[in-house]
Amino acid sequence: MALLHIDNLHAAADEKPILNGISLTVNAGEVHAIMGPNGSGKSTLAQVLAGHEAYDVTAGSISFAGEDLLDMEAEERAWAGLFLAFQYPVEIPGVSNAYFLRQGYNEIRKARGLDELDPIDFYDLLEEKLKVVEWGPEIMERAVNFGFSGGEKKRNEILQMAVLEPKLAILDETDSGLDIDALRIVANGVNTLRGPEKAIIVVTHYQRLLNYIVPDFVHVIAGGRIVRSGGKELALELEEKGYEWLTSEAAVA
Amino acid sequence: MNATATMPFADLIATTQASEMTGWLADLREAGAARFAEEGIPTSRDEEWRFTPVGPLGKMTFRAPAVSAPLDRTALSPFAFGDGWPTVVLVDGRFVPELSRLDALPDGVVVTSLAEAIAAGEPAVEAHLGRTATADQTPFTALSAATFADGLFVQVSAGVVAPTPVQLISVATDAAAEAMLAPRLVVLVGANAELSLVESYVTLTEATYFTNTVAEVHLGANARLDHTRIMRESEAAWHIGFTQVDQEQDSHYREFALAMGGRLARHNVHTRHHGERVETLLYGLYLTRGEQVADTHSAIFHDQPNCNSWEVYKGVLADDSRAVFNGKVLVDRIAQKTDAKQTNRNLLLSDTARVDAKPQLEIFADDVRCTHGATIGKLNPQQRYYLKTRGIGGKKAEQLLTWAFAAEVMAEITQPAVRVGLEALVHQRLDELTS
């Protein structure tokens, strides 16, 4: 059974259609890259999967781990094992990173019928997870994303992913605005979280990140549809030729 | 009853006037009574009281507090901070020495009940009482002058750093029902001296009563006062408080005011700058529910050059409650290089809560930096969504974000013991407000 199965997904924002029939199957253990030019709908797809209320699904279906994803609130999707690393992580002044992460971790455990972790046990877990993004413990006392640099915010998303251990992680333009060192740290972090039980969808405009997180499949979105799918070599082809040849093909189709 | 008894509080004023008094105190009381008779209870036509419905106070009859049942010290433990801090306890407005802690005071730190300081002929009391906060400031400062019963007197000598905070606990019990409590504070911090003060209004009763309190604070040159004001009156009670702070050059005044009790609570905090390089920092948090009204009026008189003020007030309002914020910053013609910033942020948890926010900057100098910002809003939907995607939904997200909103200003409480205690208190109240 596929972990994620998207069938003929149509979605709109303010009655303006953005996704026009996306179909995609992702199995456990796979890494899929979704690429496309600006405004193609790739970030919308990420947000629809995470449950953003600004988007209306007008047709199609999504099943996740055998359940109807569109029937679930955003937090229920997190409980079921779906995680979105935001393109623009949200600042929450007044809440420490450690407190925030523990709340999220325990809400997910509670939803799965597991015992909550107390602050001391959680701290031990956190110490392990901090290594994934090469961070010291001082980051945990800072307010969530508040005053963080662009690179720190993206690292923090990967830290959250490491702690929450999702079945499916969607990285929405996690590479945008990162310098090469931050990109390496983020990519290494993601790679340590790969596994046969887990799947990753990397949404990106550029091929650069895919040198570090090597995908099994590459899909190109244009005009709210997948216009081309292929292996990792498709990303290289896009790097060379740009998106023009595919988007014009889509217009003709 | 004679004709004057139709005037609000006439009986209480008459009782106080009849007590044995001579000299300056009699003059102070008489002038206060005359002023109050002239002004009466303010109405909504009075700009200073436009959004604060105190009218009912004029139609109610408040008596003197009844005899309080004896209290055990443990009854006060939820309200007391620190271990062995010098403490004056007022039960239903009356000083209770057995519950207070006034032994082993450090050198250079005087802490007594106000009535004792007056009886002892303490000259500093006469010099400041009714002179720092005068009867003509509001009708309620006049009423206080006419009727105040007891309170706190603190004096820190020049150059002395008080090693622990000093606290006043004014607690209401069932004996306060239908009564007026009229505490008063005189707090004097000498040149180069430092003090931390915790002023608490708390309750062991759910009765209706009225606290009318005035604090008079004087900071000498280069003195520092860290002042925490906690208002947790009965939610059926009326509370009107007035704090006047006079600051000499280079002095530093910092107040954190928590307001979460009272059916109607008003707090005025006014500071006057008497020298250069004065700093005034005002922080506050008000939490309201039901039909509570919480009103904060700050007024900073920048009368001298090179002084700074910084204000952050936040409010969380549930149900049909209301808040009023009025922040005056008055910059005199000579007060060049004034740096003043005022922030007021309000979080509405219901559609029927209401805030009237009014920044009021009057600037007569031309080389100053004065800014203000007031916001009234609901929980940020982007933050809510972000939390949901991390598995934190519904009430849990609401509680976390509401706490985050309050936490920013709670972090300004400098005394660790006070901060930890108030954080737990505020956390619990916010959970109640969001459930």
Side-chain angles (χ1 to χ4, degrees):
Chain A
M1 183 191 63
L3 180 60
L4 179 74
H5 185 70
I6 304 174
D7 187 28
N8 190 32
L9 181 68
H10 288 66
D14 292 331
E15 297 183 10
K16 183 174 161 265
I18 302 177
L19 301 182
N20 300 303
I22 300 257
S23 294
L24 177 69
T25 299
V26 176
N27 294 302
E30 294 176 352
V31 175
H32 290 241
I34 293 184
M35 303 184 70
N38 290 329
S40 60
K42 58 189 192 301
S43 278
T44 298
L45 175 61
Q47 292 292 354
V48 167
L49 288 172
H52 198 299
E53 287 173 2
Y55 302 100
D56 296 316
V57 172
T58 51
S61 65
I62 308 175
S63 77
F64 176 65
E67 289 183 75
D68 181 356
L69 192 74
L70 296 175
D71 215 25
M72 298 156 87
E73 288 284 324
E75 64 268 33
E76 293 172 318
R77 300 179 192 201
W79 301 342
L82 187 140
F83 179 88
L84 171 67
F86 280 53
Q87 183 178 4
Y88 303 109
V90 179
E91 298 187 354
I92 310 180
V95 179
S96 75
N97 234 355
Y99 185 78
F100 169 68
L101 272 173
R102 185 162 62 85
Q103 295 296 316
Y105 182 81
N106 277 336
E107 284 299 295
I108 290 171
R109 285 187 57 102
K110 224 161 55 181
R112 295 177 186 169
L114 300 167
D115 286 341
E116 297 183 41
L117 239 52
D118 65 32
I120 295 164
D121 289 340
F122 183 72
Y123 191 81
D124 291 343
L125 173 94
L126 210 47
E127 267 194 323
E128 279 307 304
K129 301 296 184 181
L130 280 164
K131 292 177 190 159
V132 171
V133 288
E134 302 176 30
W135 252 343
E138 59 284 349
I139 199 78
M140 299 323 298
E141 292 316 310
R142 288 173 63 185
V144 180
N145 295 326
F146 186 61
F148 282 31
S149 69
E152 285 178 324
K153 284 181 180 170
K154 298 297 175 73
R155 269 163 93 175
N156 209 19
E157 294 292 287
I158 303 307
L159 173 65
Q160 292 174 26
M161 173 181 162
V163 170
L164 301 181
E165 294 186 327
K167 289 192 189 110
L168 172 66
I170 304 153
L171 311 181
D172 187 9
E173 310 232 5
T174 298
D175 50 337
S176 67
L178 291 190
D179 63 32
I180 194 72
D181 288 333
L183 187 72
R184 182 188 53 77
I185 291 170
V186 162
N188 284 348
V190 172
N191 284 330
T192 61
L193 301 172
R194 289 175 80 155
E197 306 297 314
K198 296 170 184 175
I200 297 172
I201 297 176
V202 182
V203 176
T204 182
H205 186 87
Y206 301 105
Q207 187 267 340
R208 190 176 66 149
L209 179 65
L210 305 180
N211 289 335
Y212 297 88
I213 306 171
V214 180
D216 302 302
F217 303 95
V218 175
H219 312 277
V220 180
I221 292 192
R225 287 189 193 90
I226 293 180
V227 294
R228 179 70 63 104
S229 293
K232 63 184 177 220
E233 62 289 344
L234 177 57
L236 295 167
E237 201 177 346
L238 287 166
E239 182 77 353
E240 204 178 299
K241 297 199 208 165
Y243 287 109
E244 189 86 349
W245 60 288
L246 282 173
T247 49
S248 49
E249 257 177 47
V252 177
Chain B
M1 270 196 196
N2 59 30
T4 59
T6 58
M7 192 187 83
F9 301 95
D11 290 346
L12 280 171
I13 292 169
T15 314
T16 322
Q17 305 285 306
S19 65
E20 195 181 334
M21 274 188 309
T22 52
W24 66 271
L25 186 58
D27 294 346
L28 179 72
R29 293 222 185 267
E30 204 175 302
R35 182 77 194 184
F36 182 70
E38 229 171 86
E39 299 257 334
I41 299 291
T43 68
S44 58
R45 287 186 300 279
D46 184 331
E47 186 58 31
E48 286 295 304
W49 299 88
R50 206 172 132 204
F51 299 110
T52 315
V54 287
L57 278 177
K59 298 179 190 76
M60 299 166 77
T61 308
F62 292 99
R63 51 175 181 74
V67 176
S68 313
L71 271 192
D72 191 72
R73 199 186 276 273
T74 55
L76 295 179
S77 56
F79 312 123
F81 296 98
D83 192 19
W85 294 359
T87 303
V88 163
V89 173
L90 304 176
V91 177
D92 302 320
R94 284 177 290 246
F95 173 53
V96 180
E98 309 82 69
L99 296 173
S100 303
R101 195 184 290 270
L102 297 170
D103 52 330
L105 290 174
D107 285 346
V109 181
V110 174
V111 184
T112 69
S113 97
L114 184 63
E116 280 186 4
I118 293 169
E122 172 56 63
V125 177
E126 184 182 344
H128 288 93
L129 184 60
R131 292 186 164 84
T132 303
T134 57
D136 58 6
Q137 284 182 289
T138 78
F140 295 101
T141 56
L143 180 63
S144 171
T147 59
F148 78 87
D150 205 337
L152 175 71
F153 173 67
V154 183
Q155 187 171 27
V156 184
S157 302
V160 171
V161 176
T164 67
V166 168
Q167 64 186 333
L168 169 77
I169 301 172
S170 171
V171 59
T173 72
D174 289 338
E178 313 301 325
M180 180 172 78
L181 312 181
R184 195 144 177 146
L185 295 80
V186 174
V187 178
L188 311 173
V189 187
N192 304 308
E194 286 183 30
L195 175 69
S196 177
L197 172 72
V198 182
E199 176 190 2
S200 296
Y201 300 92
V202 300
T203 189
L204 293 169
T205 179
E206 290 172 12
T208 299
Y209 58 92
F210 171 35
T211 299
N212 183 39
T213 177
V214 172
E216 297 177 271
V217 177
H218 184 268
L219 304 187
N222 198 36
R224 296 177 74 88
L225 176 62
D226 181 358
H227 187 179
T228 306
R229 187 183 200 276
I230 301 159
M231 199 284 296
R232 301 171 61 185
E233 302 271 26
S234 149
E235 286 177 44
W238 301 74
H239 178 99
I240 308 249
F242 192 97
T243 303
Q244 174 66 50
V245 184
D246 278 11
Q247 295 188 253
E248 303 298 338
Q249 64 176 53
D250 298 298
S251 65
H252 172 97
Y253 176 71
R254 180 188 186 104
E255 183 189 63
F256 176 88
L258 173 66
M260 52 191 276
R263 61 178 291 177
L264 181 144
R266 158 84 162 229
H267 179 223
N268 278 67
V269 54
H270 292 203
T271 68
R272 274 189 298 251
H273 296 170
H274 296 288
E276 296 194 32
R277 298 172 304 277
V278 164
E279 195 162 53
T280 305
L281 308 178
L282 304 178
Y283 301 95
L285 177 66
Y286 41 89
L287 311 174
T288 58
R289 61 182 172 188
E291 296 185 349
Q292 285 184 292
V293 179
D295 175 353
T296 304
H297 268 60
S298 69
I300 300 175
F301 293 80
H302 277 276
D303 289 337
Q304 297 289 330
N306 300 309
C307 298
N308 300 332
S309 64
W310 176 266
E311 293 178 78
V312 181
Y313 284 95
K314 288 194 161 194
V316 181
L317 294 89
D319 309 329
D320 299 321
S321 65
R322 291 186 43 197
V324 181
F325 176 79
N326 186 294
K328 273 199 196 96
V329 176
L330 299 110
V331 181
D332 188 88
R333 188 176 49 79
I334 67 157
Q336 300 295 359
K337 305 288 181 194
T338 291
D339 189 349
K341 182 168 184 190
Q342 179 186 91
T343 307
N344 174 229
R345 301 211 184 287
N346 297 280
L347 175 59
L348 304 184
L349 298 178
S350 82
D351 292 330
T352 47
R354 171 180 154 172
V355 177
D356 293 287
K358 185 179 166 198
Q360 198 180 334
L361 275 56
E362 294 176 20
I363 301 163
F364 297 100
D366 51 18
D367 185 14
V368 300
R369 187 165 66 177
C370 296
T371 60
H372 68 84
T375 59
I376 301 168
K378 299 207 159 191
L379 289 174
N380 180 323
Q382 279 162 334
Q383 292 180 337
R384 280 186 101 127
Y385 170 58
Y386 191 62
L387 290 180
K388 278 163 81 86
T389 65
R390 300 312 182 239
I392 309 164
K395 290 290 164 204
K396 196 90 186 174
E398 229 172 272
Q399 288 176 349
L400 195 144
L401 291 176
T402 307
W403 168 251
F405 177 85
E408 198 188 11
V409 70
M410 293 294 294
E412 299 296 343
I413 304 171
T414 46
Q415 281 296 326
V418 178
R419 188 175 61 242
V420 168
L422 294 187
E423 275 178 355
L425 185 68
V426 167
H427 225 134
Q428 189 194 332
R429 174 62 58 90
L430 290 178
D431 284 357
E432 288 166 19
L433 295 189
T434 47
S435 62

